[in-house]
């Protein structure tokens, strides 16, 4: 179905289609009608700002506006797009018959809809690779932003399950990103968003990985590029995006790579120095059994000439020797074999530089060899990591590379999505400071990102041994235990973390979601609903469809039907393809008199989106039984139990269906089967006992 995004992604082929139907050469641009006139869908190629004088249309008749022909097109979404045709001889424009213009209007709508199909992936209904190529070739100044290339991997036993999961991801991505989404096939997707800077792009990457991991993804690797170049350079940019994805794959199951950072010198948090400088270091250190290096960072460009001044040589004389310089970094070999001598030397250099240049002008990072498992080549990198550590302390800091520097560098690698390097840094830090809480927590989180949950759990438990109330460790351990299927232990961790977290804690919203979802799984619907209400009261949560989906599910279970329907409707406004909310809403409509036909259609639409979800079949069975179709209900519940044999709610529903069919002995067998289950919740056991009692009463009568 033709939509507004098509005129942004496919502006070039759509413009060519317009030109094909015009009798003369012209310039074509697309605009959208808004409350304050016309707004450009994409940047006008001539650099003009738009048609400020044109107001929203009373009708959609083609018409002349000055020397421009405006052809409005009403899309199936009821939005109106204006095709602007200009740079045509004005007398010729005026001779165009109104009937011909109306015919052109109809032709363009049909041709645009047909042309669009060439650029759409038929399975996911996303834009395909051809559309991405066209879009990137035209993504110049008018479309600046960030393009993400994602690879998602998951484990499914059947081809049908794999197909449905891919379709679910394709439906979910537009809701999560609010951007332009593309499908490349084989679990690779593209997303374009108008990010303003690299920090926003990294936040988007981490958000996408977190959300998709909740949906059962075992790997979510992302390569991205923020700086979209001119049209002539876009083909190269597209190739580099694939290089970024390849680098992200090497960094772990949830690896990230910013190709601009990886390929442009100086973008990394602690960039490597040039090959020539490494060569000089290798020559210097070849025959040495131990040495110390220091990197002096001059914070002002005006200080660069200082490198060659005699007074700097006077400061360094007898204390340190030059090994090279790069930009505002000066690399020194610090004289002295003992740590105390090195510290005294650095103190003297720092004092002299401060007296000469002023406070806060020069920062110093120092590292030595031998050091743990680091090579001689690593020492200069360790100096740069010490400088990164010092950047948190302020200009003019002096930092000797230690466990805190390793924590900082590990965090930097983690933020970049290079989780394997982050694990290496945290483990080195723990060699220097065993039992450090921050390092253990960070190591555990990085291990989780590499799907090493049991090793991560050991880290979090070690933290809790020394700090039983550490909310971060409690939350992380709860997440790991939940992943491992230890739900009761996970819930205990979540509840303890909720008591420890302040209401303003940034991580508390994630904790609300995890805890309320676990309450729901364990049948503690009252607690779940109460917690979800607390979550909804937090500012900024009005656009999380999961909140409203869970709220609808739990309100339905505790008999708050009106609130449940409102919550599901809100979830579907945010994510129209949410099959769970569709299924719940359909059942609510049937059971509470809002329309049996509509309710059943919603239940069936949910199954079209995900036919392998046993809960969808359970809700359809309940709806059919309530609608007076026990045979259909029996067929549906058998499909549910075929997908999950031990589904407790499904067995209860099977008993109710048998009861409605007059098969009391089979019904009782189902109810007693529920009562004999160890994982049966109190609410489920209560309902099963009530059903057994009702059967006994009926038999006695």
């Amino acid at each position: 179905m033709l939509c507004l995004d098509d005129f942004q992604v496919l502006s070039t082929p759509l413009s060519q289609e317009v030109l094909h139907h015009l009798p003369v050469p012209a310039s074509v641009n697309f605009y959208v009608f808004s409350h304050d006139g016309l707004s450009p869908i994409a940047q006008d190629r001539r650099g003009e700002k738009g048609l400020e004088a044109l107001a929203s249309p009373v009708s959609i008749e083609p018409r002349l506006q000055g020397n421009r022909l405006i052809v409005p097109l009403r899309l199936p979404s009821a939005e109106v797009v204006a095709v602007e045709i200009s740079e045509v001889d004005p007398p010729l424009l005026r001779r165009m018959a109104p009937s011909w213009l109306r015919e052109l209007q109809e032709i363009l709508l049909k041709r645009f809809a047909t042309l669009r199909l060439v650029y759409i992936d038929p399975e996911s209904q996303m834009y395909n690779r051809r559309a991405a190529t066209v879009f990137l070739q035209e993504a110049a100044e008018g479309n600046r932003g960030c393009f993400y290339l994602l690879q998602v991997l998951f484990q499914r036993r059947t081809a049908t399950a794999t197909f449905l999961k891919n379709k679910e991801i394709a439906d979910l991505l537009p809701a999560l990103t609010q951007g332009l989404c593309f499908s490349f096939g084989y679990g690779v997707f593209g997303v374009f968003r108008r990010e303003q800077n690299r920090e926003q792009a990294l936040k988007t990457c981490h958000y996408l990985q977190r959300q998709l991991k909740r949906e059962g993804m075992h790997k979510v690797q992302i390569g991205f590029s923020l700086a979209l170049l001119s049209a002539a350079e876009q083909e190269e940019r597209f190739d580099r995006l694939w290089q970024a994805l390849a680098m992200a794959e090497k960094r772990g199951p949830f690896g990230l790579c910013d190709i601009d950072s990886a390929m442009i010198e100086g973008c990394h948090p602690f960039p490597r120095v040039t090959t020539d400088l490494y060569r000089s270091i290798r020559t210097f250190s070849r025959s040495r059994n131990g040495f110390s290096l220091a990197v002096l960072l001059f914070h002002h460009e005006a200080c660069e000439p200082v490198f060659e001044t005699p007074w700097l040589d006077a400061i360094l004389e007898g204390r340190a020797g030059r090994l090279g310089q790069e930009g505002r970094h000066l690399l020194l070999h610090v004289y002295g074999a003992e740590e105390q001598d090195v510290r005294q030397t650095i103190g003297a250099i720092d004092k002299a530089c401060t007296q000469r240049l002023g406070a806060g002008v020069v920062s110093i990072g120092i590292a030595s060899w031998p050091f743990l498992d680091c090579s001689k080549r690593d020492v200069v990198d360790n100096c740069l990591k010490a400088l990164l550590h010092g950047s948190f302390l302020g200009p003019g800091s002096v930092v000797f590379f230690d466990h805190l520097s390793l924590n900082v560098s590990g965090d930097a690698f983690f933020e970049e999505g290079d989780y394997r390097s982050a694990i290496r840094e945290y483990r080195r830090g723990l060699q220097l400071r065993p039992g450090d809480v921050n390092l253990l927590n960070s190591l555990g989180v990085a291990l989780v990102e590499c799907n090493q949950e049991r090793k991560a759990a050991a880290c979090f438990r070690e933290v809790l041994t020394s700090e039983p109330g550490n909310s971060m460790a409690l939350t992380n351990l709860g997440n790991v235990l939940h992943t491992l299927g230890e739900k009761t232990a996970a819930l205990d961790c979540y509840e303890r973390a909720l008591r420890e977290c302040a209401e303003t804690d940034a991580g508390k919203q994630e904790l609300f979601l995890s805890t309320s979802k676990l309450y729901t799984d364990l049948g503690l619907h009252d607690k779940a609903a109460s917690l979800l209400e607390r979550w909804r009261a937090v500012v900024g949560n009005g656009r999380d469809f999961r909140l409203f989906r869970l709220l609808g599910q739990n309100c339905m279970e505790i008999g708050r039907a009106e609130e449940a329907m409102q919550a599901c409707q809100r979830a579907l406004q945010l994510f129209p393809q949410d099959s769970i909310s569709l299924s719940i809403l359909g059942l609510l409509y049937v059971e509470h008199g809002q329309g049996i036909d509509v309710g059943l259609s919603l239940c069936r639409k949910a199954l079209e989106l995900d036919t392998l979800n046993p809960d969808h079949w359970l809700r359809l069975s309940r709806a059919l039984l309530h609608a007076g179709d026990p045979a259909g209900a029996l067929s549906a519940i058998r499909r549910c139990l075929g997908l999950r044999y031990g589904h407790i709610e499904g067995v209860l529903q099977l008993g109710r269906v048998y009861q409605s069919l007059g098969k009391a002995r089979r019904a009782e067998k189902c109810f007693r089967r529920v009562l004999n289950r160890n994982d049966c919740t109190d609410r489920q056991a209560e309902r099963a006992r009530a059903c057994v009692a009702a059967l006994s009463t009926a038999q006695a009568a």
Side-chain angles (χ1 to χ4, degrees):
M1 184 174 69
L2 199 64
C3 65
L4 203 58
D5 287 342
D6 297 334
F7 293 87
Q8 180 179 356
V9 177
L10 308 175
S11 61
T12 298
L14 294 181
S15 297
Q16 291 170 349
E17 188 66 27
V18 176
L19 293 173
H20 177 73
H21 289 86
L22 291 176
V24 292
S27 177
V28 176
N29 287 283
F30 299 108
Y31 295 84
V32 60
F33 284 99
S34 60
H35 67 279
D36 56 352
L38 281 180
S39 302
I41 293 176
Q43 182 74 18
D44 191 315
R45 293 182 181 84
R46 299 185 306 275
E48 297 178 7
K49 298 299 183 182
L51 305 178
E52 295 85 351
L54 211 70
S56 296
V58 176
S59 69
I60 60 167
E61 290 294 317
R63 63 190 182 279
L64 285 175
Q65 175 74 42
N67 293 330
R68 299 167 179 176
L69 174 63
I70 305 300
V71 183
L73 303 176
R74 191 179 297 281
L75 306 182
S77 60
E79 294 167 304
V80 180
V81 169
V83 182
E84 179 218 21
I85 300 169
S86 59
E87 297 186 8
V88 179
D89 185 29
L92 180 60
L93 280 177
R94 294 187 183 93
R95 285 199 295 270
M96 291 182 178
S99 59
W100 183 85
L101 291 175
R102 284 192 292 272
E103 184 181 347
L104 175 66
Q105 189 179 42
E106 294 176 5
I107 290 173
L108 290 180
L109 271 173
K110 292 177 181 178
R111 289 297 303 153
F112 285 176
T114 303
L115 181 63
R116 179 182 187 272
L117 298 177
V118 178
Y119 297 93
I120 296 296
D121 175 53
E123 300 298 343
S124 66
Q125 294 301 303
M126 285 180 164
Y127 296 113
N128 57 22
R129 178 171 183 152
R130 179 182 293 182
T133 303
V134 168
F135 175 69
L136 284 174
Q137 286 174 348
E138 293 298 321
E141 292 301 318
N143 283 320
R144 293 197 64 81
C146 186
F147 197 95
Y148 305 87
L149 206 57
L150 298 83
Q151 176 175 238
V152 296
L153 296 173
F154 50 86
Q155 296 175 357
R156 291 295 183 273
R157 295 183 178 179
T158 65
T160 302
T162 301
F163 171 79
L164 289 172
K165 194 63 182 178
N166 268 316
K167 185 67 173 67
E168 180 186 333
I169 296 167
D171 291 335
L172 184 61
L173 271 178
L176 291 178
T177 62
Q178 303 297 309
L180 301 172
C181 296
F182 304 81
S183 174
F184 296 87
Y186 307 102
V188 178
F189 299 91
V191 176
F192 176 80
R193 279 172 52 92
R194 296 186 183 281
E195 311 289 14
Q196 297 300 314
N197 52 54
R198 189 168 183 271
E199 289 70 25
Q200 285 186 0
L202 282 169
K203 285 181 180 179
T204 297
C205 288
H206 290 298
Y207 170 76
L208 283 173
Q209 288 182 327
R210 187 168 61 250
Q211 298 300 326
L212 290 171
K213 192 173 186 181
R214 286 181 186 151
E215 299 300 318
M217 301 299 105
H218 293 85
K219 291 184 179 181
V220 182
Q221 294 151 333
I222 306 177
F224 67 97
S225 174
L226 185 69
L228 292 177
L229 304 178
S230 65
E233 300 170 289
Q234 286 308 318
E235 186 174 350
E236 178 188 354
R237 173 66 55 176
F238 203 27
D239 291 339
R240 289 173 66 182
L241 279 166
W242 286 99
Q243 294 176 33
L245 184 57
M247 294 177 71
E249 291 172 350
K250 296 177 182 178
R251 292 179 171 183
F254 293 87
L256 302 175
C257 179
D258 172 11
I259 196 63
D260 305 305
S261 174
M263 301 187 74
I264 298 175
E265 190 68 32
C267 287
H268 199 273
F270 28 89
R272 289 184 174 276
V273 295
T274 59
T275 303
D276 290 340
L277 200 50
Y278 273 124
R279 190 177 292 115
S280 68
I281 295 166
R282 184 169 64 249
T283 302
F284 154 77
S285 63
R286 183 172 294 142
S287 60
R288 296 177 183 271
N289 295 322
F291 58 89
S292 297
L293 302 181
V295 173
L296 274 62
L297 170 61
F298 292 77
H299 289 283
H300 304 299
E301 292 183 6
C303 293
E304 286 190 33
V306 170
F307 290 159
E308 307 301 331
T309 54
W311 67 262
L312 181 58
D313 289 325
I315 291 174
L316 299 179
E317 186 176 0
R319 297 188 176 102
R322 295 171 181 261
L323 288 177
Q325 66 187 65
E326 188 173 316
R328 285 177 281 153
H329 293 81
L330 177 64
L331 179 63
L332 305 175
H333 162 227
V334 183
Y335 302 151
E338 301 296 329
E339 180 182 349
Q340 184 177 357
D341 297 335
V342 173
R343 289 184 177 274
Q344 288 178 351
T345 297
I346 292 298
I349 292 173
D350 178 51
K351 182 178 180 181
C353 287
T354 300
Q355 290 174 346
R356 184 77 184 192
L357 299 174
V361 175
V362 179
S363 294
I364 307 177
I366 309 98
S368 301
W369 187 87
F371 182 84
L372 300 178
D373 61 341
C374 296
S375 67
K376 292 179 179 180
R377 181 186 175 94
D378 291 334
V379 180
V380 65
D381 292 333
N382 292 344
C383 291
L384 294 170
K385 293 171 186 177
L387 280 175
L388 178 66
H389 175 190
S391 67
F392 292 92
L393 306 177
S397 58
V398 177
V399 175
F400 287 79
F401 186 67
D402 60 4
H403 71 286
L404 291 176
S405 305
L406 284 163
N407 199 347
V408 170
S409 62
D411 290 346
F413 278 122
F414 187 97
E415 187 65 22
E416 293 290 319
D418 190 351
Y419 300 113
R420 291 194 171 104
S421 295
I423 289 170
R424 180 197 65 215
E425 299 293 279
Y426 295 139
R427 282 177 170 160
R428 283 175 173 173
L430 285 167
Q431 286 181 263
L432 296 177
R433 186 65 61 92
D436 184 88
V437 168
N438 291 329
L439 284 166
L440 282 169
N441 253 329
S442 299
L443 175 60
V445 174
L447 288 167
V448 168
E449 297 299 332
C450 289
N451 292 334
Q452 300 181 42
E453 281 82 6
R454 297 193 184 280
K455 290 182 179 179
C459 294
F460 301 136
R461 287 191 173 106
E462 189 174 345
V463 172
L464 293 171
T465 300
S466 57
E467 294 185 10
N470 189 300
S471 60
M472 184 181 296
L474 285 167
T475 301
N476 291 330
L477 181 58
N479 292 336
V480 169
L481 293 173
H482 197 177
T483 301
L484 296 173
E486 301 176 30
K487 293 185 177 181
T488 304
L491 183 59
D492 177 63
C493 290
Y494 287 151
E495 290 178 332
R496 288 166 59 191
L498 279 170
R499 291 193 293 268
E500 297 292 337
C501 280
E503 285 296 326
T504 55
D505 194 318
K508 193 152 189 176
Q509 296 189 43
E510 290 293 323
L511 193 52
F512 280 142
L513 175 60
S514 302
T515 310
S516 57
K517 190 175 185 304
L518 196 47
Y519 277 146
T520 305
D521 293 343
L522 295 173
L524 303 172
H525 301 293
D526 293 295
K527 287 187 174 182
S530 175
L531 190 61
L532 288 163
E533 292 290 355
R534 282 178 61 192
W535 184 18
R536 184 163 63 171
V538 177
V539 176
N541 285 312
R543 298 200 60 80
D544 195 322
F545 74 91
R546 290 181 180 82
L547 186 161
F548 295 101
R549 174 208 281 173
L550 283 168
L551 187 60
Q553 187 174 352
N554 286 282
C555 286
M556 178 183 72
E557 294 294 339
I558 59 178
R560 291 158 53 181
E562 189 65 33
E563 294 175 59
M565 283 188 274
Q566 291 175 1
C568 289
Q569 288 163 353
R570 177 59 178 155
L572 290 168
Q573 287 175 355
L574 297 170
F575 181 27
Q577 304 300 316
D578 182 10
S579 63
I580 296 175
S581 295
L582 277 170
S583 179
I584 295 170
L585 187 60
L587 176 59
L588 287 165
Y589 278 179
V590 171
E591 291 187 339
H592 296 277
Q594 298 297 315
I596 289 177
D597 291 340
V598 174
L600 288 174
S601 69
L602 290 175
C603 289
R604 291 189 173 107
K605 185 176 179 182
L607 281 165
E608 289 175 11
L609 293 170
D610 187 359
T611 190
L612 298 181
N613 189 325
D615 291 333
H616 293 356
W617 288 105
L618 167 65
R619 296 186 193 105
L620 177 61
S621 176
R622 284 179 57 178
L624 288 169
L625 185 62
H626 191 276
D629 183 6
L634 180 61
S635 175
I637 199 60
R638 282 175 173 167
R639 291 289 300 272
C640 167
L641 294 171
L643 291 167
R644 190 189 302 167
Y645 177 73
H647 197 299
I648 294 178
E649 288 291 340
V651 176
L652 270 172
Q653 174 64 11
L654 180 61
R656 287 192 288 264
V657 173
Y658 280 142
Q659 187 177 7
S660 70
L661 292 169
K663 299 179 180 181
R665 297 182 70 178
R666 288 190 178 185
E668 184 176 357
K669 185 177 179 180
C670 291
F671 299 141
R672 294 198 180 279
R673 179 178 158 193
V674 170
L675 291 170
N676 291 331
R677 290 283 296 271
N678 293 329
D679 55 344
C680 173
T681 67
D682 293 340
R683 187 185 295 270
Q684 289 166 337
E686 183 181 346
R687 283 186 293 172
R689 279 192 289 269
C691 290
V692 171
L695 284 173
S696 300
T697 302
Q699 289 171 355

